[in-house]
Amino acid sequence: MGIDLKAGGRRVGHKSSMKKVKTANPYNKLLIKLYKFLARRTESKFCATVLKRLHMSKTNRPPIGLHRLSRYMSQKDGKTAVIVGKVTDDVRMLECPKLSVCALAFTTGARKRIESSGGECITLDQLALRAPKGNGVVLLRGPKSREALSHFGHSTSVNNPHTHTAVKPYVRSKGRKFEKARGRRRSCGFKV
């Protein structure tokens, strides 16, 4: 007796990415253990979100620059900025305001500038002691601006006229002979 396969096959790899710790970094493994415990015991949304972001891959944990960070924290005095990722320096910014920042990592330039302006750089385990439920913190993320994203189409159907609007093609050149056949004119299949 055979097994009944649905058209398109079975769903493979749809399980949660948080079931297994994929990082080899021992520091990150300990942080995952800590925030897993906090998320369970405190039932705080903040801890659950930090845990989810700790499980993310490096491309999904983009760095945030000092200038953007200071802009987000301009009206939030006395609060700690939390970034599950790296904080980088911005040489275009002349003066760094006093900031309290918690992140996975800091570049040397960013750490020096934050501390010289009277601010502080803390780690996520230090934050767990200070604010286990995430009180008085602002959870931030860096921009996801990779070059690869400009090539991704919208997750809509092929028949939608705007599926490939403003999507950069992987093409050698923009000329008469390049990517002008099927999919680019009505006479050859379809046009997007």
Side-chain angles (χ1 to χ4, degrees), residues 8-184:
R10 296 188 166 176
R11 283 179 73 202
V12 179
H14 66 279
K15 288 193 172 73
S16 168
S17 63
M18 287 169 61
K19 289 233 188 318
K20 189 173 173 227
V21 179
K22 291 176 290 298
T23 180
N25 186 336
Y27 175 66
N28 282 14
K29 279 183 176 176
L30 287 169
L31 279 178
I32 286 171
K33 254 185 191 175
L34 170 66
Y35 276 92
K36 197 175 192 176
F37 172 80
L38 284 173
R40 192 179 76 243
R41 292 298 293 269
T42 62
E43 291 179 359
S44 113
K45 288 251 179 88
F46 168 76
C47 292
T49 309
V50 169
L51 176 66
K52 187 174 74 181
R53 291 187 189 178
L54 282 167
H55 275 283
M56 287 181 181
S57 63
K58 199 175 177 182
T59 46
N60 291 323
R61 286 189 279 113
I64 189 167
L66 259 184
H67 184 257
R68 190 181 290 266
L69 185 60
S70 63
R71 236 184 24 231
Y72 285 147
M73 299 300 289
S74 59
Q75 302 296 314
K76 299 175 175 68
D77 297 329
K79 293 205 170 191
T80 305
V82 180
I83 298 100
V84 184
K86 196 171 205 170
V87 175
T88 56
D89 192 11
D90 196 338
V91 290
R92 296 166 297 181
M93 193 169 74
L94 300 172
E95 289 173 18
C96 179
K98 186 181 176 185
L99 296 167
S100 174
V101 188
C102 167
L104 271 181
F106 295 88
T107 60
T108 27
R111 188 184 288 276
K112 202 192 313 184
R113 285 186 75 174
I114 291 168
E115 286 170 351
S116 65
S117 66
E120 58 171 355
C121 300
I122 62 169
T123 55
L124 284 160
D125 49 313
Q126 288 171 312
L127 180 81
L129 292 170
R130 268 193 216 181
K133 285 188 172 183
N135 300 328
V137 302
V138 182
L139 192 57
L140 299 171
R141 284 201 253 209
K144 269 197 192 176
S145 53
R146 295 187 296 134
E147 200 278 332
L149 295 177
S150 58
H151 297 286
F152 298 169
H154 305 290
S155 55
T156 57
S157 69
V158 172
N159 299 328
N160 185 337
H162 303 295
T163 306
H164 292 89
T165 310
V167 173
K168 194 176 178 184
Y170 290 108
V171 63
R172 197 168 40 134
S173 180
K174 189 174 166 61
R176 175 186 57 80
K177 304 186 288 189
F178 305 98
E179 295 195 8
K180 297 285 185 208
R182 186 172 189 279
R184 298 304 290 156

